[in-house]
Amino acid sequence: MAGTSTDGTAGETAAEAAGETAGETAGEAAGERRQLINVAYRLLGSLAEAEDAVQEAYTRWYALSRSGREEIVSPGAWLTTVTGRICLDVLGSARARRERYVGAWLPEPLPDRAEWDQGHGTDPADPADLMVLDESVTMAFLVVLESMTPAERVALVLHDVFRYPFAEIAGVLGRTPAACKQLAASARRRAGTARAPVTEPGQADAVRRVKEAWETKNIPALVDLLDPAAVMTADGGGTAGAALRPVEGGARIAQYMVAIADRAPGLELLERSVNGTPGLVARRAGVVMTVASFDVADGQVTRIWAVRNPEKLRPWARES
């Protein structure tokens, strides 16, 4: 009996250990979702596409056999590699899709949930609630990323933003670490003289004054607040009214903004954080119609990005 008891105990211990190992591996994998969403959004510029990419990565993870998952030393590294490869494929096909896109394509703007958590609550499964808002998600930086090739974008984001070594990035891109280093360098050159993505100390004040001038339809005040060479890009996606080409020049932008206000009586402007920087939300009858982000230099607005495509404003539904 004693021998049986000993063997049984040993068997139970082995089973428990295996269960603990599997549980720890599954828990570690599940805990990577926040990081993966943040990586994928920066790579794709779309929260919806980022969520799809991460979901696909987890689908592939759970499609592995239990023993296959246990053999993976770092589930996080495995999931990051798979997510990166999926994003690379999406970026490759996105170029063709965006050529058919109606008007200018802009990244999806992100809300700062802290501004309206009270009264709305949060959903831990909502990818918008998992985002870390820093200088690497400003609209200015994401637009610069759009000028890069998919491989350059992956190399730059993974290395410069998330500090992954080139040896790991090589596994994502299927290239040598040296080649990945060259891609990142090329991406930095492609960014050229683009101003570093930082928030100016006076940006909130500049945006507030734009709001006030827009509300009162004060064209001279708007012209003073806009750089003479300012550019406004709007994304309506063919489903919401928007200029199909960028509006250039402070005076033309001011007239365009006032014309929008004239055509939309009852439009309410709210100061909100957009991708981590001061921006404006235009709401009508409780529905968010436009989310605008700004780039400010020396106290004047140099760029305005206005997203009006309803498909890209879903994370802002809690504003209503």
Side-chain angles (χ1 to χ4, degrees), residues 195-212:
R195 204 161 54 86
V198 296
T199 302
E200 287 231 341
Q203 182 161 338
D205 181 59
V207 171
R208 182 174 299 111
R209 287 186 288 144
V210 167
K211 170 182 176 290
E212 293 169 352

Side-chain angles (χ1 to χ4, degrees), residues 3-33:
T4 303
S5 175
T6 302
D7 291 343
T9 302
E12 290 172 4
T13 302
E16 289 171 358
E20 289 176 3
T21 301
E24 290 171 1
T25 301
E28 183 180 347
E32 293 293 324
R33 185 167 183 263

Side-chain angles (χ1 to χ4, degrees), residues 55-205:
Q55 184 61 42
E56 174 60 23
Y58 274 109
T59 297
R60 297 183 188 183
W61 167 260
Y62 288 110
L64 296 173
S65 65
R66 178 171 174 175
S67 60
R69 291 197 298 270
E70 291 174 354
E71 289 174 2
I72 295 173
V73 177
S74 174
W78 188 94
L79 285 164
T80 299
T81 297
V82 173
T83 299
R85 289 173 179 169
I86 293 169
C87 289
L88 190 63
D89 290 340
V90 173
L91 286 171
S93 62
R95 289 183 175 273
R97 293 200 311 274
R98 289 172 192 172
E99 287 177 0
R100 300 189 298 270
Y101 195 81
V102 178
W105 186 96
L106 291 175
E108 291 180 14
L110 290 176
D112 183 347
R113 72 180 190 277
E115 294 183 348
W116 58 76
D117 274 354
Q118 293 183 352
H120 286 284
T122 59
D123 178 0
D126 187 340
D129 288 340
L130 301 177
M131 291 301 303
V132 175
L133 303 180
D134 57 24
E135 65 275 8
S136 68
V137 294
T138 62
M139 194 64 71
F141 186 62
L142 293 177
V143 168
V144 168
L145 290 178
E146 282 296 309
S147 69
M148 302 173 188
T149 68
E152 287 173 339
R153 186 166 182 164
V154 170
L156 182 75
V157 168
L158 290 183
H159 183 267
D160 287 23
V161 177
F162 291 97
R163 304 302 178 187
Y164 284 97
F166 287 118
E168 290 187 24
I169 298 171
V172 176
L173 294 177
R175 308 192 188 193
T176 65
C180 293
K181 186 175 183 179
Q182 287 298 317
L183 283 168
S186 175
R188 296 184 200 106
R189 288 194 300 271
R190 197 177 281 266
T193 57
R195 204 161 54 86
V198 296
T199 302
E200 287 231 341
Q203 182 161 338
D205 181 59

Side-chain angles (χ1 to χ4, degrees), residues 62 167 229 243 262 283 302:
Y62 288 110
D262 286 337
R283 190 170 65 179
T302 58

